[in-house]
């Protein structure tokens, strides 16, 4: 149902397919210029690439099947500057990575670590020691009174970076980032505390660790403190943006009935609330940490009247409607990010796994899709408008209060 007074956003201009018997449009995006030909001798659902002159070129077999740019044989992994990574990660805790250039040092990267506070006893957060050829050490220590330290060793050279300051006793998540740039001859060590305070130190003469060592540190059997939630290595200072996603097992309503999101493929017809069946253009798969500040949200079946619990990212939007939305916002329907639904009962932070695999269904334009009765928003490309108004955090508070009061009434009855 369309919201009164709001026109649906139109996608940007897109070049037409030059296939002689296909009049479809192709998605003109800088990062992905493939579309699914719906007609012609190649048959429905075949992929064609567009070059600079918009002439279609048939992709390689693997790329036609998966429709992933720079597809790598390791499922879910892409090539970032020649080094395999998972959705922008050079290394990620508890996720196996294909080893490439085992002795290659990283001249510029950032190591990010999240720990649960107050930290459990024990000074060593992470520790890797290698005697393969040149002796190497990469360790992170903490002391409740002194602070955090990163120690590295390569052969006879030993460096130790210290961030002074006691760790707080209050419960929460702290994030440590250690970045280095060999070309600029700089390193930085930062600790972001739960209340938002930031401690920072920096210096010169950094030491570039080997990528293979950091990938070994990510293995489940590496030495790790129980307070460590997750850690990873990225090429840039900004962490990869996984974006909104739903879990692989989430039931999605299609023209063939409910199907797990992980079983969907481009060309499938997805039922939408506003435009009926819409063809699925692309399935964006993402890999993200699933603890600490990156934890996803679990919608519990008993409260949302679904067949099972539904897992989604904290920024995945869920549709709300009814008298409460009309009373508070003068809207028939609104979208609420899942993070604002968490109340410890109907919706929970789900940190049972360290890494989560999520999916975002690209239908060309943002659509409301039915996930076993819960309406969520499909993939939203940059520059496109959400299909409904999205509530900010302060707006969601009274809506959740009314929801909780209604739940309490039902329980008393």
């Amino acid at each position: 149902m369309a919201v009164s007074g709001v026109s649906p956003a139109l996608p940007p201009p897109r070049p037409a397919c030059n296939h002689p018997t296909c009049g479809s449009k192709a998605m003109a995006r800088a990062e992905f210029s493939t579309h699914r030909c719906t007609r012609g001798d190649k048959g429905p659902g075949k992929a064609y690439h567009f070059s600079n002159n918009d002439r279609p070129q048939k992709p390689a077999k693997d790329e036609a099947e998966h429709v992933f740019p720079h597809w790598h044989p390791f499922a879910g992994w892409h090539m970032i500057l020649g080094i395999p990574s998972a959705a922008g990660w050079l290394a990620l805790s508890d996720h196996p990575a294909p080893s490439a250039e085992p002795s290659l040092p990283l001249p510029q990267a950032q190591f990010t670590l999240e720990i649960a506070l107050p930290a459990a006893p024990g000074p060593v957060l992470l520790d890797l020691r290698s005697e393969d050829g040149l002796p190497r050490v990469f360790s992170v220590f903490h002391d409740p009174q002194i602070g955090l330290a990163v120690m590295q060793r390569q052969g006879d050279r030993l460096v130790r970076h210290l961030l002074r300051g006691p760790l707080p006793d209050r419960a929460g998540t702290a994030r440590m980032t250690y970045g280095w740039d060999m070309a600029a001859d700089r390193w930085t060590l930062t600790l972001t505390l739960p209340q938002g305070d930031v401690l920072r130190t920096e210096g010169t003469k950094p030491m570039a660790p080997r990528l293979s060592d950091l990938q070994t540190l990510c293995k489940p059997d590496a030495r790790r403190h129980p307070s460590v939630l997750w850690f990873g290595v990225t090429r840039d200072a900004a962490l990869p943006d996984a974006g909104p996603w739903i879990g692989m097992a989430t039931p999605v309503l299609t023209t063939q009935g409910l199907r797990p999101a992980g079983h969907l493929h481009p060309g499938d017809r997805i039922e939408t609330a506003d435009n009926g069946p819409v063809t699925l253009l692309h399935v964006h798969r993402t890999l993200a940490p699933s603890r600490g500040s990156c934890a996803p949200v679990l919608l519990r079946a008993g409260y949302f009247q679904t067949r099972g619990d539904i897992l989604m990212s904290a920024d995945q939007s869920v549709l709300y409607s009814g008298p409460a939305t009309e009373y508070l916002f003068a809207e028939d329907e609104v979208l609420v990010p899942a993070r604002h639904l968490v109340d410890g009962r109907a919706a929970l932070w789900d940190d049972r796994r360290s890494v989560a695999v999520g999916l975002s269904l690209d239908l060309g334009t943002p659509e409301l899709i039915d996930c076993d009765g819960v309406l969520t928003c499909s993939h939203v490309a940059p520059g496109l408008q959400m299909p409904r108004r999205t509530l900010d955090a302060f707006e969601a508070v009274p809506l959740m209060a009314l929801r909780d009061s209604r739940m309490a009434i039902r329980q008393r009855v």
Side-chain angles (χ1 to χ4, degrees):
M1 179 171 56
V3 178
S4 176
V6 178
S7 300
L10 296 177
R14 300 176 288 182
C17 175
N18 286 338
H19 193 284
T21 59
C22 179
S24 300
K25 300 294 182 179
M27 301 303 294
R29 300 178 185 166
E31 75 279 9
F32 187 70
S33 55
T34 302
H35 99 290
R36 290 271 169 180
C37 186
T38 57
R39 290 149 58 182
D41 57 354
K42 298 299 180 183
K46 298 297 182 181
Y48 285 84
H49 276 201
F50 284 81
S51 58
N52 292 335
N53 59 2
D54 288 338
R55 296 184 63 184
Q57 302 171 356
K58 186 177 180 180
K61 179 179 183 294
D62 282 344
E63 197 166 10
E65 291 176 354
H66 301 284
V67 203
F68 283 139
H70 315 300
W71 178 256
H72 191 272
F74 294 90
W77 291 81
H78 301 270
M79 299 297 290
I80 304 295
L81 300 181
I83 301 176
S85 67
W89 295 96
L90 300 178
L92 187 59
S93 55
D94 296 323
H95 190 82
S99 297
E101 304 291 343
S103 61
L104 178 67
L106 289 174
Q108 178 182 353
Q110 176 175 283
F111 181 89
T112 303
L113 164 72
E114 286 197 350
I115 58 176
L117 297 178
V124 181
L125 294 177
L126 294 171
D127 186 46
L128 174 69
R129 299 173 184 271
S130 176
E131 299 295 336
D132 180 16
L134 188 70
R136 300 181 305 279
V137 174
F138 186 94
S139 300
V140 181
F141 301 87
H142 86 98
D143 184 275
Q145 300 303 321
I146 298 176
L148 280 171
V150 176
M151 186 180 73
Q152 292 177 258
R153 179 189 175 189
Q154 292 182 5
D156 295 332
R157 187 187 174 197
L158 178 69
V159 297
R160 182 171 178 265
H161 308 311
L162 177 62
L163 183 61
R164 299 185 181 276
L167 298 178
D169 293 331
R170 70 171 60 184
T173 300
R175 174 179 290 183
M176 185 206 82
T177 57
Y178 168 54
W180 62 92
D181 188 340
M182 302 301 292
D185 191 30
R186 300 294 297 177
W187 61 266
T188 61
L189 183 58
T190 304
L191 179 65
T192 304
L193 300 175
Q195 64 270 28
D197 296 339
V198 178
L199 307 177
R200 177 186 172 90
T201 186
E202 58 184 14
T204 59
K205 296 181 173 55
M207 179 181 292
R210 296 184 181 183
L211 174 60
S212 58
D213 289 343
L214 296 176
Q215 291 177 344
T216 301
L217 187 65
C218 292
K219 294 182 178 180
D221 57 352
R223 185 177 180 184
R224 186 184 309 178
H225 193 279
S227 295
V228 172
L229 298 174
W230 66 270
F231 57 92
V233 183
T234 54
R235 177 73 66 178
D236 301 317
L239 296 182
D241 182 12
W245 53 264
I246 57 178
M248 297 276 288
T250 302
V252 177
L253 185 60
T254 71
T255 53
Q256 298 178 345
L258 287 173
R259 295 178 58 190
H263 293 178
L264 298 176
H265 301 283
D268 291 338
R269 300 281 285 174
I270 308 298
E271 294 285 358
T272 67
D274 296 332
N275 298 306
V278 176
T279 300
L280 178 61
L281 301 180
H282 183 55
V283 179
H284 299 269
R285 288 172 171 83
T286 186
L287 188 75
S290 186
R291 290 175 180 157
S293 62
C294 301
V297 175
L298 188 71
L299 305 185
R300 298 178 63 189
Y303 290 88
F304 287 87
Q305 300 179 359
T306 57
R307 292 173 176 80
D309 297 339
I310 295 179
L311 183 71
M312 61 181 59
S313 64
D315 50 0
Q316 174 65 56
S317 296
V318 176
L319 188 76
Y320 260 72
S321 62
T325 60
E326 297 178 8
Y327 172 72
L328 293 172
F329 313 111
E331 300 276 5
D332 293 333
E333 301 169 329
V334 294
L335 288 170
V336 184
R339 69 175 70 252
H340 303 325
L341 304 179
V342 175
D343 60 357
R345 295 178 300 166
L348 311 173
W349 294 114
D350 187 5
D351 58 357
R352 294 173 296 174
R353 60 190 66 80
S354 60
V355 176
V357 179
L359 303 175
S360 181
L361 306 181
D362 190 348
L363 303 179
T365 56
E367 300 283 356
L368 294 174
I369 60 176
D370 188 335
C371 297
D372 198 13
V374 175
L375 293 181
T376 65
C377 189
S378 67
H379 178 74
V380 182
L384 298 186
Q385 181 179 328
M386 298 287 283
R388 301 291 189 275
R389 174 187 170 186
T390 302
L391 299 187
D392 292 323
F394 73 93
E395 295 177 303
V397 172
L399 180 61
M400 294 303 101
L402 289 176
R403 180 197 68 175
D404 293 342
S405 64
R406 293 177 59 190
M407 287 182 180
I409 292 173
R410 287 200 299 268
Q411 290 173 356
R412 285 197 297 269
V413 172

